[in-house]
Amino acid sequence: AQKVTQAQTEISVVEKEDVTLDCVYETRDTTYYLFWYKQPPSGELVFLIRRNSFDEQNEISGRYSWNFQKSTSSFNFTITASQVVDSAVYFCALSETNTGNQFYFGTGTSLTVIP
Amino acid sequence: DTAVSQTPKYLVTQMGNDKSIKCEQNLGHDTMYWYKQDSKKFLKIMFSYNNKELIINETVPNRFSPKSPDKAHLNLHINSLELGDSAVYFCASSQPRGRYGLETQYFGPGTRLLVL
């Protein structure tokens, strides 16, 4: 079973629209990390944010915000007033305390912002 | 200053050849990884090293052999390259496991391998 599900394969929005990228995770651990990474068309993987399982406070960084809800096992990412430079593939990932020695990456959401 | 670097960035080669990809990190991390990203962008862990010791060896053909001469370097050697090896290979590094799980991984720029 997929530990991290990003159900939205591709999203297109018009510039200045807000967009939310969904991430649903599955774990039996009570302590874990959740991450978001950005992969722009140039190909590199850029770390955006990390949250631990005890910190459900929403995070805002400029136009980016993250909504972590343990009750629904979700860690959603919202871009406000999207820009063309936001066009990228975005990956959500999970790292557990007790299980394995690896990140569990979602399959990614490809976001296209149309000017 | 590049935190995680890989060379080469592009690699085009013929089937059957042997090639190596080098990775270096200057973050002082103990743990390094190799990932393969296929054409559908799926990221698959291949290997994980902690302080030069192999931790993860996922189901990868034994034509792939990682080597870690020291904890700042993790190279990937591929023997007898096949068409299906064409992909982007990413190196990453992180601090060791933390209180909540594996720490943040920082990725290199990727090596785009094309086998003809």
Side-chain angles (χ1 to χ4, degrees):
Chain A
Q2 191 77 5
K3 280 188 173 281
V4 176
T5 301
Q6 295 180 255
Q8 304 150 308
T9 307
E10 295 179 358
I11 301 176
S12 291
V13 297
V14 176
E15 204 170 19
K16 297 184 184 176
E17 285 184 350
D18 300 347
V19 59
T20 295
L21 310 182
D22 297 333
C23 173
V24 174
Y25 63 93
E26 179 184 331
T27 181
R28 292 182 181 179
D29 283 6
T30 56
T31 53
Y32 49 88
Y33 282 127
L34 292 163
F35 303 83
W36 276 95
Y37 285 83
K38 174 182 180 180
Q39 187 173 35
S42 50
E44 70 273 25
L45 277 157
V46 180
F47 164 68
L48 294 178
I49 190 172
R50 181 187 81 180
R51 303 299 277 177
N52 72 58
S53 51
F54 292 99
D55 187 359
E56 286 192 75
Q57 196 170 14
N58 288 339
E59 175 97 6
I60 298 175
S61 176
R63 296 182 298 105
Y64 293 174
S65 62
W66 291 269
N67 183 358
F68 175 28
Q69 292 197 342
K70 287 176 77 169
S71 60
T72 55
S73 296
S74 65
F75 186 42
N76 296 337
F77 173 27
T78 298
I79 302 174
T80 304
S82 59
Q83 299 177 1
V84 172
V85 292
D86 297 326
S87 296
V89 180
Y90 291 88
F91 293 94
C92 182
L94 166 71
S95 158
E96 298 169 308
T97 308
N98 296 317
T99 308
N101 288 292
Q102 61 177 295
F103 271 27
Y104 297 97
F105 278 94
T107 49
T109 297
S110 177
L111 173 66
T112 301
V113 180
I114 304 165
Chain B
D1 287 343
T2 305
V4 183
S5 59
Q6 291 179 232
T7 53
K9 190 167 183 180
Y10 298 96
L11 190 50
V12 181
T13 188
Q14 298 288 331
M15 227 170 27
N17 284 350
D18 302 339
K19 290 293 178 186
S20 291
I21 307 172
K22 295 186 176 181
C23 178
E24 176 180 1
Q25 55 94 4
N26 62 8
L27 296 169
H29 290 163
D30 286 336
T31 309
M32 296 184 72
Y33 311 82
W34 277 110
Y35 285 85
K36 178 180 181 181
Q37 186 176 45
D38 61 24
S39 57
K40 294 186 178 179
K41 298 290 188 179
F42 182 67
L43 277 162
K44 179 179 165 57
I45 182 76
M46 300 174 70
F47 301 103
S48 166
Y49 267 75
N50 187 51
N51 206 7
K52 301 196 296 175
E53 288 190 24
L54 182 65
I55 303 298
I56 289 178
N57 183 357
E58 289 293 307
T59 307
V60 175
N62 57 15
R63 298 182 294 104
F64 291 79
S65 54
K67 282 192 171 52
S68 182
D70 55 61
K71 73 174 192 176
H73 296 84
L74 181 61
N75 304 324
L76 183 65
H77 189 75
I78 315 171
N79 288 329
S80 303
L81 277 154
E82 299 178 357
L83 295 176
D85 297 332
S86 296
V88 181
Y89 292 85
F90 285 98
C91 176
S93 75
S94 73
Q95 294 288 12
R97 176 177 293 278
R99 182 179 171 190
Y100 297 95
L102 291 178
E103 294 285 347
T104 303
Q105 293 184 15
Y106 294 92
F107 286 80
T111 295
R112 286 137 191 86
L113 172 64
L114 178 60
V115 182
L116 303 174

Coordinates of all heavy atoms in Angstrom, one line a residue, chain A residues 31-33 35 37 39 42-45 47 50 52-54 89 91 95-98 100-103 105 107, chain B residues 33 35 37 40-43 45 48 55-56 58 90 97-109 112:
Chain A
T31 N 5.4 9.0 16.0 CA 6.3 10.1 15.7 C 6.9 9.9 14.3 O 7.3 8.8 13.9 CB 7.5 10.0 16.7 OG1 8.1 8.7 16.8 CG2 7.0 10.4 18.1
Y32 N 6.8 11.0 13.6 CA 7.3 10.9 12.2 C 7.5 12.3 11.7 O 7.1 13.3 12.4 CB 6.3 10.2 11.3 CG 4.8 10.6 11.5 CD1 4.3 11.7 10.7 CD2 4.0 10.0 12.4 CE1 3.0 12.1 10.9 CE2 2.7 10.5 12.6 CZ 2.2 11.5 11.8 OH 0.9 11.9 12.0
Y33 N 8.1 12.4 10.6 CA 8.3 13.7 9.9 C 7.5 13.7 8.6 O 7.4 12.6 7.9 CB 9.8 13.9 9.5 CG 10.7 14.4 10.6 CD1 11.9 13.6 10.8 CD2 10.5 15.5 11.3 CE1 12.8 14.0 11.8 CE2 11.3 15.9 12.3 CZ 12.5 15.2 12.5 OH 13.4 15.6 13.5
F35 N 7.4 16.0 4.8 CA 8.2 16.9 4.0 C 7.4 17.3 2.7 O 6.6 16.5 2.2 CB 9.5 16.2 3.6 CG 10.4 15.7 4.7 CD1 10.1 14.5 5.2 CD2 11.4 16.5 5.2 CE1 10.9 14.0 6.3 CE2 12.2 16.0 6.2 CZ 12.0 14.7 6.7
Y37 N 8.9 18.7 -1.1 CA 10.0 19.0 -2.0 C 9.4 19.6 -3.3 O 8.3 19.2 -3.8 CB 10.8 17.8 -2.4 CG 11.7 17.4 -1.2 CD1 11.3 16.6 -0.2 CD2 13.1 17.8 -1.2 CE1 12.1 16.1 0.8 CE2 13.9 17.4 -0.2 CZ 13.4 16.5 0.8 OH 14.3 16.1 1.8
Q39 N 10.3 20.2 -7.5 CA 11.2 19.8 -8.6 C 10.8 20.7 -9.8 O 9.9 20.4 -10.5 CB 11.2 18.4 -8.9 CG 12.2 18.0 -10.0 CD 12.3 16.5 -10.2 OE1 11.3 15.8 -10.2 NE2 13.5 16.0 -10.4
S42 N 13.9 22.6 -14.3 CA 15.4 22.4 -14.4 C 15.9 21.1 -13.7 O 17.0 20.7 -14.0 CB 16.1 23.6 -13.7 OG 15.6 23.8 -12.4
G43 N 15.0 20.5 -12.9 CA 15.3 19.1 -12.5 C 15.8 18.9 -11.1 O 15.7 17.8 -10.6
E44 N 16.3 19.9 -10.4 CA 16.8 19.6 -9.1 C 15.6 19.5 -8.1 O 14.5 19.9 -8.3 CB 17.7 20.8 -8.7 CG 17.0 22.1 -8.4 CD 16.8 23.0 -9.6 OE1 16.8 22.5 -10.7 OE2 16.7 24.2 -9.4
L45 N 15.9 18.8 -7.0 CA 14.9 18.6 -6.0 C 15.2 19.6 -4.8 O 16.3 19.5 -4.2 CB 15.0 17.2 -5.5 CG 14.2 16.2 -6.3 CD1 14.7 14.8 -6.1 CD2 12.7 16.2 -5.9
F47 N 14.2 21.2 -1.2 CA 13.5 21.0 0.1 C 12.7 22.2 0.4 O 13.2 23.4 0.3 CB 14.5 20.7 1.2 CG 14.0 20.9 2.6 CD1 13.0 20.0 3.1 CD2 14.4 21.9 3.4 CE1 12.5 20.1 4.4 CE2 14.0 22.0 4.7 CZ 13.0 21.2 5.2
R50 N 9.7 20.8 6.5 CA 9.6 19.6 7.3 C 8.7 19.9 8.5 O 8.9 21.0 9.2 CB 11.0 19.2 7.8 CG 11.0 17.9 8.6 CD 12.3 17.6 9.2 NE 12.6 18.4 10.4 CZ 13.7 18.3 11.1 NH1 14.7 17.5 10.7 NH2 13.9 19.0 12.2
N52 N 7.2 17.9 12.2 CA 7.1 16.6 12.9 C 5.7 16.4 13.4 O 4.9 17.3 13.4 CB 8.1 16.7 14.1 CG 7.7 17.6 15.2 OD1 6.6 17.4 15.8 ND2 8.5 18.6 15.6
S53 N 5.5 15.2 13.8 CA 4.1 14.7 14.0 C 3.4 15.4 15.2 O 2.2 15.2 15.4 CB 4.1 13.2 14.2 OG 5.1 12.8 15.2
F54 N 4.2 16.1 16.0 CA 3.6 16.7 17.2 C 3.3 18.2 16.9 O 2.8 18.9 17.8 CB 4.5 16.5 18.4 CG 4.5 15.1 18.9 CD1 5.5 14.3 18.5 CD2 3.5 14.6 19.6 CE1 5.6 13.0 18.9 CE2 3.5 13.3 20.0 CZ 4.5 12.5 19.7
V89 N 7.0 20.0 -10.3 CA 6.5 18.8 -9.7 C 6.7 18.9 -8.2 O 7.9 19.2 -7.8 CB 7.1 17.5 -10.3 CG1 6.4 16.3 -9.6 CG2 6.9 17.5 -11.8
F91 N 6.6 17.1 -4.5 CA 6.6 15.8 -3.8 C 6.3 16.0 -2.3 O 7.0 16.8 -1.7 CB 7.9 15.0 -4.0 CG 8.2 14.6 -5.4 CD1 8.9 15.4 -6.3 CD2 7.7 13.4 -5.9 CE1 9.1 15.1 -7.6 CE2 7.9 13.0 -7.2 CZ 8.7 13.9 -8.1
S95 N 8.7 10.3 6.7 CA 9.8 9.5 7.4 C 9.4 9.1 8.7 O 8.9 9.9 9.5 CB 11.1 10.5 7.5 OG 12.0 10.0 8.4
E96 N 9.4 7.8 9.0 CA 8.9 7.3 10.2 C 10.0 7.0 11.2 O 11.1 6.8 10.9 CB 8.1 6.0 10.0 CG 7.0 6.1 9.0 CD 6.4 4.8 8.6 OE1 7.2 4.0 8.1 OE2 5.2 4.6 8.7
T97 N 9.6 6.9 12.5 CA 10.6 6.7 13.5 C 11.0 5.2 13.6 O 12.2 4.9 13.6 CB 10.0 7.0 14.9 OG1 9.5 8.3 14.9 CG2 11.1 6.9 16.0
N98 N 10.1 4.3 13.5 CA 10.3 2.9 13.8 C 10.4 2.0 12.6 O 10.9 0.9 12.7 CB 9.2 2.4 14.7 CG 9.2 3.1 16.1 OD1 10.3 3.3 16.6 ND2 8.0 3.4 16.5
G100 N 11.8 1.1 8.9 CA 12.7 1.3 7.8 C 13.7 2.4 7.9 O 13.7 3.1 8.9
N101 N 14.4 2.6 6.9 CA 15.5 3.6 6.9 C 15.3 4.4 5.6 O 16.3 4.7 4.9 CB 16.9 2.9 6.9 CG 17.2 2.3 8.2 OD1 17.3 3.0 9.2 ND2 17.2 1.0 8.3
Q102 N 14.1 4.7 5.3 CA 14.0 5.5 4.0 C 12.8 6.5 4.1 O 12.0 6.4 5.0 CB 13.7 4.5 2.9 CG 12.4 3.7 3.1 CD 12.1 2.7 1.9 OE1 11.9 3.2 0.8 NE2 12.2 1.5 2.1
F103 N 12.9 7.4 3.2 CA 11.8 8.3 2.9 C 10.7 7.5 2.1 O 11.1 6.7 1.2 CB 12.2 9.5 2.1 CG 12.7 10.7 2.9 CD1 13.3 10.5 4.2 CD2 12.6 11.9 2.4 CE1 13.7 11.6 4.9 CE2 13.1 13.0 3.1 CZ 13.6 12.9 4.3
F105 N 8.2 8.6 -0.6 CA 7.8 9.7 -1.4 C 6.4 9.4 -2.1 O 6.2 8.3 -2.4 CB 8.8 10.0 -2.5 CG 10.0 10.8 -2.1 CD1 11.1 10.2 -1.7 CD2 9.9 12.2 -2.1 CE1 12.2 10.9 -1.3 CE2 11.0 12.9 -1.7 CZ 12.2 12.3 -1.3
T107 N 3.9 10.2 -5.4 CA 4.2 10.1 -6.8 C 4.3 11.5 -7.4 O 4.6 11.6 -8.6 CB 3.1 9.3 -7.5 OG1 1.8 9.7 -7.1 CG2 3.2 7.8 -7.1
Chain B
Y33 N 22.6 8.8 0.1 CA 21.6 8.0 -0.6 C 21.8 8.1 -2.1 O 22.2 9.1 -2.6 CB 20.2 8.4 -0.3 CG 19.8 8.6 1.1 CD1 20.2 9.8 1.8 CD2 19.1 7.7 1.9 CE1 19.9 10.0 3.1 CE2 18.8 7.9 3.2 CZ 19.2 9.1 3.8 OH 18.9 9.3 5.1
Y35 N 19.1 7.6 -5.4 CA 17.7 7.4 -5.9 C 17.7 7.3 -7.4 O 18.6 7.9 -8.1 CB 16.9 8.6 -5.5 CG 16.4 8.7 -4.1 CD1 17.3 9.3 -3.1 CD2 15.2 8.3 -3.7 CE1 16.9 9.5 -1.8 CE2 14.8 8.4 -2.3 CZ 15.6 9.0 -1.4 OH 15.2 9.1 -0.1
Q37 N 15.1 8.2 -10.5 CA 13.8 8.8 -10.9 C 13.5 8.4 -12.4 O 14.3 8.8 -13.3 CB 13.8 10.3 -10.8 CG 12.5 11.0 -11.0 CD 12.5 12.4 -10.8 OE1 13.3 13.2 -11.2 NE2 11.4 12.9 -10.1
K40 N 8.4 8.8 -15.3 CA 7.1 9.3 -14.7 C 7.3 10.0 -13.4 O 6.4 10.3 -12.7 CB 6.2 8.1 -14.5 CG 5.7 7.4 -15.7 CD 4.7 6.3 -15.5 CE 4.2 5.7 -16.8 NZ 3.3 4.6 -16.6
K41 N 8.6 10.3 -13.2 CA 9.0 11.2 -12.0 C 8.9 10.4 -10.7 O 9.1 11.0 -9.6 CB 8.1 12.4 -11.9 CG 8.3 13.4 -13.1 CD 9.6 14.0 -13.1 CE 9.7 15.1 -14.2 NZ 11.0 15.8 -14.2
F42 N 8.7 9.1 -10.7 CA 8.7 8.3 -9.5 C 10.1 8.2 -8.9 O 11.0 7.8 -9.6 CB 8.1 7.0 -9.8 CG 7.9 6.1 -8.5 CD1 7.1 6.5 -7.5 CD2 8.7 5.0 -8.3 CE1 6.9 5.8 -6.4 CE2 8.6 4.2 -7.2 CZ 7.7 4.6 -6.2
L43 N 10.2 8.5 -7.6 CA 11.5 8.5 -7.0 C 11.7 7.2 -6.2 O 10.8 6.9 -5.3 CB 11.6 9.6 -6.0 CG 12.1 11.0 -6.5 CD1 11.7 12.1 -5.5 CD2 13.6 11.0 -6.8
I45 N 14.2 4.8 -3.9 CA 15.5 4.6 -3.2 C 16.2 3.4 -3.7 O 15.7 2.3 -4.0 CB 15.3 4.5 -1.7 CG1 16.6 4.4 -0.9 CG2 14.4 3.3 -1.3 CD1 17.3 5.7 -0.8
S48 N 21.4 3.3 0.6 CA 21.6 4.2 1.7 C 22.9 3.8 2.4 O 23.1 2.7 2.7 CB 20.4 4.3 2.6 OG 20.8 4.9 3.8
I55 N 23.4 0.6 4.5 CA 22.2 0.5 5.3 C 21.1 -0.1 4.5 O 20.4 -1.0 4.9 CB 21.8 1.8 5.9 CG1 22.9 2.4 6.7 CG2 20.5 1.6 6.8 CD1 23.4 1.6 7.9
I56 N 20.8 0.5 3.3 CA 19.7 0.0 2.5 C 20.3 -0.5 1.2 O 21.1 0.2 0.6 CB 18.7 1.1 2.2 CG1 17.9 1.4 3.4 CG2 17.8 0.7 1.1 CD1 16.9 2.6 3.2
E58 N 18.1 -1.7 -1.8 CA 16.8 -2.1 -2.3 C 16.9 -3.1 -3.4 O 18.1 -3.4 -3.9 CB 16.0 -0.9 -2.7 CG 15.5 0.0 -1.5 CD 14.5 -0.7 -0.7 OE1 13.4 -1.2 -1.3 OE2 14.7 -0.8 0.5
F90 N 19.7 10.6 -8.6 CA 19.9 11.6 -7.6 C 20.7 11.0 -6.4 O 20.4 10.0 -5.9 CB 18.6 12.2 -7.1 CG 17.9 13.1 -8.0 CD1 16.9 12.6 -8.8 CD2 18.3 14.4 -8.1 CE1 16.2 13.5 -9.7 CE2 17.6 15.3 -9.0 CZ 16.6 14.8 -9.8
R97 N 19.4 9.5 11.6 CA 18.0 9.4 12.1 C 17.8 10.3 13.4 O 18.6 10.3 14.3 CB 17.7 8.0 12.5 CG 16.3 7.8 13.1 CD 16.1 6.3 13.3 NE 16.0 5.6 12.0 CZ 14.9 5.5 11.3 NH1 13.8 6.1 11.7 NH2 14.9 4.9 10.2
G98 N 16.8 11.1 13.3 CA 16.5 12.0 14.5 C 15.4 11.4 15.3 O 15.0 10.2 15.2
R99 N 14.8 12.2 16.1 CA 13.8 11.8 17.1 C 12.6 11.3 16.4 O 11.9 10.4 16.9 CB 13.6 13.0 18.0 CG 12.6 12.6 19.1 CD 12.4 13.9 20.0 NE 11.3 13.6 20.9 CZ 10.8 14.6 21.7 NH1 11.3 15.8 21.7 NH2 9.8 14.3 22.5
Y100 N 12.2 11.9 15.3 CA 11.0 11.7 14.6 C 11.1 10.8 13.4 O 10.1 10.5 12.7 CB 10.2 13.0 14.3 CG 9.9 13.8 15.5 CD1 10.7 14.8 15.9 CD2 8.7 13.5 16.2 CE1 10.4 15.5 17.1 CE2 8.4 14.3 17.3 CZ 9.2 15.3 17.8 OH 8.9 16.0 18.9
G101 N 12.3 10.5 13.0 CA 12.5 9.8 11.8 C 13.8 10.2 11.1 O 14.6 11.0 11.7
L102 N 13.9 9.8 9.8 CA 15.1 10.3 9.1 C 15.0 11.8 8.9 O 13.9 12.4 8.6 CB 15.1 9.6 7.7 CG 15.4 8.1 7.7 CD1 15.3 7.6 6.2 CD2 16.7 7.8 8.3
E103 N 16.1 12.4 9.0 CA 16.2 13.9 8.9 C 16.1 14.3 7.4 O 16.1 13.5 6.5 CB 17.6 14.4 9.5 CG 17.7 14.1 11.0 CD 16.9 15.1 11.8 OE1 16.4 16.1 11.2 OE2 16.7 14.9 13.0
T104 N 16.0 15.6 7.3 CA 15.8 16.2 5.9 C 16.9 15.7 5.0 O 18.1 15.8 5.3 CB 15.8 17.7 6.0 OG1 14.8 18.1 6.9 CG2 15.6 18.3 4.7
Q105 N 16.5 15.3 3.8 CA 17.5 14.9 2.8 C 17.7 16.1 1.8 O 16.7 16.7 1.4 CB 17.0 13.7 2.0 CG 16.9 12.4 2.9 CD 16.6 11.2 2.2 OE1 16.6 11.2 0.9 NE2 16.2 10.2 2.9
Y106 N 18.9 16.3 1.5 CA 19.3 17.4 0.6 C 19.9 16.7 -0.7 O 20.8 15.8 -0.6 CB 20.3 18.3 1.2 CG 19.7 19.1 2.4 CD1 19.8 18.6 3.7 CD2 19.0 20.3 2.1 CE1 19.3 19.3 4.7 CE2 18.5 21.0 3.2 CZ 18.6 20.5 4.5 OH 18.0 21.1 5.5
F107 N 19.3 17.1 -1.8 CA 19.6 16.4 -3.0 C 20.6 17.1 -3.9 O 20.7 18.3 -3.9 CB 18.3 16.2 -3.8 CG 17.4 15.2 -3.3 CD1 16.6 15.5 -2.2 CD2 17.4 13.9 -3.8 CE1 15.7 14.5 -1.6 CE2 16.5 12.9 -3.3 CZ 15.7 13.2 -2.2
G108 N 21.4 16.3 -4.6 CA 22.2 16.8 -5.7 C 21.4 17.2 -6.9 O 20.2 17.0 -6.9
P109 N 22.1 17.7 -7.9 CA 21.3 18.2 -9.1 C 20.9 17.1 -10.0 O 20.1 17.4 -10.9 CB 22.4 19.1 -9.8 CG 23.7 18.5 -9.3 CD 23.5 18.1 -7.9
R112 N 21.6 12.8 -15.5 CA 20.7 12.3 -16.5 C 21.4 11.3 -17.4 O 22.3 11.7 -18.2 CB 20.1 13.5 -17.3 CG 19.1 14.3 -16.6 CD 19.2 15.8 -16.8 NE 18.4 16.5 -15.8 CZ 18.8 16.8 -14.6 NH1 20.0 16.5 -14.1 NH2 18.0 17.5 -13.7

